[in-house]
Amino acid sequence: MASPGVLEPAAGSVPGTKVELTVSCRNLLDMDTFSKSDPVVVLFIQSSGINEWKEFGRTEVIDNTLNPDFVRKFVLDYYFEEKQNLRFDVYNVDSKSCSVLKQDFLGQAFVALGEVIGSQRGRLERALTGVPGKRCGTILLLAEELSNCRDIVTMQLCANKLDKKDFFGKSDPFLVFYRSNEDGTFTICHKTEVVKNTLNPVWQPFTIPVRALCNGDYDRTVKIDVYDWDRDGSHDFIGEFATSYRELSRAQSQFTVYEVLNPRKKCKKKKYVNSGTVTLLSFSVESEFTFVDYIRGGTQLNFTVAIDFTASNGMPSHPTSLHYASPYQLSAYALALKAVGEIIQDYDSDKLFPAYGFGAKVPPDGKISHQFPLNNNADNPSCVGIEGVLESYLQSLRTVQLYGPTNFAPVINQVAGAAAQVIDGSQYHVLLIITDGVISDMLQTKEAIVTASSLPMSIIIVGVGPAEFEAMEELDGDEVRVSFRGRYAERDIVQAVNFFPVKFVPFRDYVDDSGNQVLSMARLAKDVLAEIPEQLLSYMKTRDIKPRRADPQ
């Protein structure tokens, strides 16, 4: 699933600014029998001049509540001169599937971005509709222009002697951070994890962009609430305290202790002192590097292709085959390859791309191979440019026998081996797997992905054809990290999309109605490449690799 992207403007448009949307809901439908709903909001955007909706992003899922305040924001480019239509769909998550079709629909709202920005104080409340005969509640949207501040903060806090809230045990405390708005209200910007059964919790260090904490205004009030977590979602308020970015930053040289105060207790009890204390243990600031910083510093993207040659694709010479290329248009495989490759090749200086096939019997002995070089050169499987890859792919279709099964692990391990040779940030590998079928070696593939997640590489999986691609949801770790025998992937490195109207992004989102293949490729490339910059940044950050200083020459 693609991570949040940007709205598609008309040609020549320049975004006036970036706008952050904060989403809350009130009085949602309760779809669960023994608990409250577990809501998520999915944002869809309408492409300029086209009557179609495309998923832009999702909030996190919040368990057991009908009145969620979501932490995950939507950051949009705002164009004053355009009507930017947005659709917010709300679902109750009952299934582990990433597909919203398998969740309970709670309602939807249609708004224009300009409506939110133009509403009083940038705050808009809209009724949710779409469930016949039901009042679906409301959605609240808050828009704020983002500053250009690129600093990020890492901090750690602990607490001491918090109030005991649980009858049979101690409290299960967590912190909620809010930044103040110009109208005196507050917007949620971070939640810590819950530390179970203690009055003296130590929370894990966390990072947050300065613009999320205070939007670049160092003296803006930051309010921090302390809660005792309850399974049913009715978390107990322990107390609160206020600070600012400027005050927090002083902890770089000294510990800062805050009293946690509960206003209701303070009014009722004359001898009330506080509900505990929170100590800021550490606070550090560093610049947030961008994908462009690393590319300018010399990081090369190394592109590798793996193409499915299993028999389920059909005979390449037959028009119904997924490998069939007519004189008038490319096959689905060639279309996906060109769409992704022609963008990535701009970031690879030598334009040499290793290209493999899997699932075929290869000459001369007819043995099944899951990583045979398309150019038939085992010592040097690289092809010159994307056109070279396409030429070798078409030549292989004429020389190998399509067979099976569909195994991903061998080629993932092949690229992982290359990625492991250079881990200093100067090289980053992108593996594109194009397939039509259900994965046959799922356990081995999971193990390979978990191992590769610690290396400088990403994996793009494009599914073509009418097969079911349930397994691809499991490998695309946007919501739940891939795991193997209790070991979880260090980071999400897989981006999976479906190039057929079954699941994930439907085929119609890529194929232009007029048959314009250039537009189709542009749409596909945008989706499958959306997560690469963030995945590269996550690798560099976990290894504390800074961009090299760009060569002035």
Side-chain angles (χ1 to χ4, degrees):
M1 174 183 15
S3 62
V6 294
L7 290 174
E8 294 181 11
S13 295
V14 177
T17 187
K18 284 192 179 291
V19 173
E20 178 189 82
L21 285 184
T22 300
V23 181
S24 300
C25 296
R26 293 294 179 264
N27 303 313
L28 293 176
L29 289 172
D30 193 354
M31 304 296 284
D32 292 344
T33 305
F34 299 107
S35 62
K36 299 184 179 73
S37 293
D38 305 325
V40 64
V41 174
V42 184
L43 169 60
F44 294 85
I45 62 173
Q46 191 174 40
S47 298
S48 181
I50 304 175
N51 189 28
E52 66 174 10
W53 294 93
K54 189 171 184 180
E55 183 176 330
F56 180 84
R58 304 181 183 193
T59 67
E60 75 278 16
V61 178
I62 299 183
D63 293 340
N64 257 328
T65 180
L66 305 182
N67 301 290
D69 296 310
F70 297 99
V71 174
R72 190 177 297 172
K73 320 291 185 184
F74 299 117
V75 177
L76 311 176
D77 283 335
Y78 168 57
Y79 301 86
F80 171 76
E81 68 276 15
E82 295 181 23
K83 186 175 179 65
Q84 295 171 265
N85 293 321
L86 312 177
R87 188 183 94 212
F88 295 87
D89 289 2
V90 187
Y91 292 90
N92 170 43
V93 177
D94 267 342
S95 164
K96 291 183 179 180
S97 172
C98 294
S99 171
V100 294
L101 300 177
K102 297 187 177 180
Q103 317 302 341
D104 299 323
F105 180 65
L106 300 181
Q108 64 183 184
F110 296 84
V111 302
L113 181 56
E115 280 186 272
V116 187
I117 294 171
S119 59
Q120 190 173 14
R121 299 192 301 274
R123 189 183 304 273
L124 179 71
E125 184 170 5
R126 182 65 54 88
L128 294 167
T129 61
V131 181
K134 299 281 188 180
R135 289 186 177 180
C136 302
T138 61
I139 187 167
L140 294 89
L141 304 171
L142 174 67
E144 183 168 6
E145 181 180 357
L146 284 179
S147 75
N148 291 322
C149 179
R150 285 172 51 184
D151 290 344
I152 56 173
V153 168
T154 301
M155 69 175 92
Q156 184 177 23
L157 301 100
C158 70
N160 189 43
K161 296 182 180 178
L162 295 177
D163 286 352
K164 180 178 177 296
K165 291 289 186 179
D166 293 343
F167 188 76
F168 293 109
K170 300 173 182 176
S171 294
D172 304 320
F174 67 97
L175 303 177
V176 182
F177 287 68
Y178 302 87
R179 69 164 182 258
S180 61
N181 303 313
E182 292 181 0
D183 62 357
T185 59
F186 288 88
T187 299
I188 188 170
C189 56
H190 181 74
K191 283 183 186 176
T192 68
E193 78 280 11
V194 176
V195 182
K196 292 292 189 70
N197 199 31
T198 180
L199 304 181
N200 303 294
V202 179
W203 291 282
Q204 293 293 319
F206 66 90
T207 60
I208 183 172
V210 170
R211 65 170 180 247
L213 191 64
C214 66
N215 206 16
D217 179 358
Y218 292 174
D219 294 310
R220 181 186 288 212
T221 299
V222 177
K223 184 168 74 80
I224 302 171
D225 288 353
V226 187
Y227 284 95
D228 166 44
W229 177 84
D230 284 332
R231 187 178 301 277
D232 63 3
S234 60
H235 310 308
D236 300 317
F237 179 70
I238 295 176
E240 64 185 13
F241 61 94
T243 182
S244 67
Y245 172 86
R246 193 178 302 281
E247 186 176 319
L248 289 167
S249 66
R250 296 186 186 127
Q252 293 179 92
S253 56
Q254 62 186 33
F255 284 167
T256 304
V257 180
Y258 297 94
E259 280 194 302
V260 178
L261 300 177
N262 187 320
R264 292 183 65 183
K265 276 192 170 185
K266 191 175 182 179
C267 291
K268 288 182 178 180
K269 297 182 179 180
K270 290 184 179 181
K271 293 185 178 181
Y272 176 79
V273 178
N274 59 46
S275 294
T277 60
V278 168
T279 301
L280 182 60
L281 297 175
S282 63
F283 185 96
S284 60
V285 185
E286 61 182 16
S287 292
E288 183 178 31
F289 297 114
T290 67
F291 176 74
V292 174
D293 290 331
Y294 286 98
I295 297 301
R296 285 177 176 170
T299 296
Q300 291 286 308
L301 296 187
N302 297 320
F303 182 47
T304 302
V305 181
I307 296 177
D308 186 335
F309 280 77
T310 56
S312 55
N313 286 283
M315 288 294 292
S317 60
H318 198 281
T320 59
S321 171
L322 294 168
H323 284 299
Y324 179 74
S326 77
Y328 309 106
Q329 64 180 22
L330 297 170
S331 70
Y333 279 89
L335 189 68
L337 175 58
K338 278 180 68 73
V340 178
E342 288 185 350
I343 290 178
I344 287 186
Q345 71 176 352
D346 291 339
Y347 302 94
D348 190 317
S349 59
D350 62 14
K351 305 291 188 290
L352 295 176
F353 307 122
Y356 299 93
F358 59 89
K361 288 185 175 181
V362 299
D365 52 11
K367 286 187 177 179
I368 300 172
S369 174
H370 296 291
Q371 53 184 97
F372 61 90
L374 296 186
N375 65 1
N376 201 31
N377 186 343
D379 295 327
N380 182 13
S382 295
C383 303
V384 180
I386 295 305
E387 291 304 321
V389 176
L390 279 169
E391 185 180 326
S392 296
Y393 155 62
L394 294 173
Q395 178 62 30
S396 291
L397 285 175
R398 292 189 286 268
T399 58
V400 305
Q401 179 188 348
L402 275 58
Y403 204 73
T406 306
N407 290 353
F408 286 4
V411 74
I412 293 175
N413 289 330
Q414 175 83 13
V415 176
Q421 300 300 310
V422 182
I423 58 174
D424 64 357
S426 62
Q427 307 283 328
Y428 193 86
H429 294 257
V430 178
L431 168 62
L432 170 65
I433 300 175
I434 313 175
T435 182
D436 85 311
V438 177
I439 301 172
S440 304
D441 63 339
M442 177 56 81
L443 285 178
Q444 293 88 340
T445 295
K446 283 185 176 181
E447 182 180 16
I449 289 172
V450 170
T451 300
S453 68
S454 64
L455 298 171
M457 69 176 286
S458 292
I459 303 168
I460 300 168
I461 305 173
V462 175
V464 298
E468 290 289 335
F469 288 99
E470 286 288 334
M472 288 182 23
E473 292 186 5
E474 196 174 346
L475 297 179
D476 189 347
D478 283 343
E479 301 298 330
V480 180
R481 291 279 171 86
V482 178
S483 64
F484 176 76
R485 293 181 178 173
R487 190 162 62 103
Y488 282 83
E490 185 176 306
R491 56 196 182 90
D492 173 25
I493 65 168
V494 178
Q495 166 71 348
V497 298
N498 183 16
F499 205 41
F500 195 85
V502 181
K503 301 189 188 308
F504 289 104
V505 185
F507 186 70
R508 61 179 176 271
D509 280 4
Y510 299 128
V511 178
D512 182 58
D513 291 339
S514 65
N516 185 332
Q517 287 198 330
V518 174
L519 185 56
S520 300
M521 289 192 296
R523 290 173 174 173
L524 175 64
K526 181 180 176 182
D527 260 12
V528 301
L529 294 175
E531 293 183 7
I532 299 300
E534 194 59 41
Q535 290 173 356
L536 182 147
L537 290 174
S538 74
Y539 173 78
M540 301 299 187
K541 188 172 182 180
T542 56
R543 296 297 181 275
D544 195 27
I545 298 172
K546 306 289 193 295
R548 290 177 169 82
R549 193 180 296 274
D551 186 345
Q553 299 300 319

